[in-house]
Amino acid sequence: MAFHTFNGRFVAGLALTGFVLTAAGCQSGGSSMLGFGKKDTTPPPPPDPKVLASQLLAYCPKVTLRDGTAFFNTYAKGSQKPKKKAATLDAEAAALDASSGQQDDSAKIVYQASITDVTRDCIRANGSLTMKIAVAGKVVPGPMFSPGTITMPIRIAVMHGKEVLYSQLHQHQVQVTNPSSATQFVFTDSNVVVPEPTARDYQVFAGYDEGPPKKTDKKVAAAE
């Protein structure tokens, strides 16, 4: 009987202890002794690096001036030095002669034009991107200034990697009459239409483009 009484009291004690622990767990905001129910403090994963649709819709490619395309000089007729025949020069000497000839004729410049700013505007419709590209600059009279009209070759091009999506050479004319100050100008190409981009990877270029250099006479090999 004594063993039975002790055994009964032991079981009753365990039951009472379990009730107290359960009650304590209920009063601690639902967190148990094993940690279940605790607030997750793990940092969230980094955001997806892909461009969002809203960002792509707001994407309007930036216009860039390539090196050497921001300036354009107009020289007086007959100012260029006569070039030696290619038969008497090697390829490197001919190139140096061509470049130095124009530099030595700086006193013969009629106008010097430069691009000072570029901007753009974009509209999307029917799977196409239409851009309006504006080029601002100035024309400064040179030593050989004479009032008149200067024609500037301005090219606008849109590239997607190595693919040319748009390229147009414009002959923009500016009337220059004041020899003592620069004449401001603004050129706008409103018809730049390209496929709507699927990523932010279009390149837009603006600048002066005088075209490829003039072909020189072929080198004649001496027959001996």
Side-chain angles (χ1 to χ4, degrees):
M1 292 296 293
F3 176 79
H4 177 72
T5 303
F6 171 78
N7 217 12
R9 290 179 180 178
F10 180 74
V11 173
L14 287 178
L16 179 60
T17 302
F19 173 80
V20 172
L21 291 176
T22 302
C26 293
Q27 294 175 4
S28 62
S31 59
S32 66
M33 295 184 67
L34 296 178
F36 294 106
K38 288 185 178 180
K39 186 177 180 180
D40 186 7
T41 58
T42 304
D48 193 341
K50 294 182 180 179
V51 179
L52 300 178
S54 58
Q55 294 175 329
L56 192 57
L57 288 175
Y59 171 57
C60 189
K62 182 180 179 181
V63 182
T64 302
L65 281 172
R66 277 178 168 165
D67 291 341
T69 65
F71 297 94
F72 172 72
N73 295 335
T74 301
Y75 292 87
K77 292 182 179 179
S79 63
Q80 297 293 336
K81 289 184 176 181
K83 297 176 182 177
K84 298 179 181 179
K85 292 183 179 180
T88 62
L89 298 171
D90 58 21
E92 183 178 357
L96 290 173
D97 181 70
S99 61
S100 62
Q102 184 165 323
Q103 292 174 357
D104 293 341
D105 281 344
S106 59
K108 301 295 185 179
I109 293 178
V110 181
Y111 309 105
Q112 185 176 64
S114 63
I115 296 174
T116 57
D117 196 14
V118 290
T119 187
R120 82 286 189 211
D121 187 30
C122 296
I123 298 176
R124 285 173 170 77
N126 301 322
S128 296
L129 175 67
T130 301
M131 301 185 67
K132 180 168 69 174
I133 299 174
V135 176
K138 60 183 179 180
V139 178
V140 179
M144 298 296 291
F145 169 79
S146 60
T149 301
I150 176 175
T151 301
M152 298 177 292
I154 300 177
R155 182 176 295 280
I156 305 296
V158 182
M159 304 285 293
H160 181 216
K162 294 183 178 180
E163 181 184 4
V164 179
L165 302 179
Y166 176 91
S167 181
Q168 185 66 43
L169 183 62
H170 305 271
Q171 301 297 330
H172 183 59
Q173 295 185 335
V174 178
Q175 187 74 21
V176 183
T177 58
N178 190 345
S180 60
S181 64
T183 300
Q184 307 291 329
F185 74 87
V186 175
F187 164 75
T188 303
D189 187 348
S190 303
N191 299 312
V192 182
V193 181
V194 295
E196 188 172 6
T198 57
R200 301 166 65 96
D201 55 359
Y202 278 9
Q203 291 180 296
V204 182
F205 298 101
Y208 293 118
D209 184 1
E210 301 179 60
K214 294 181 180 180
K215 295 181 179 179
T216 59
D217 296 335
K218 293 182 179 180
K219 187 176 180 179
V220 179
E224 296 184 4

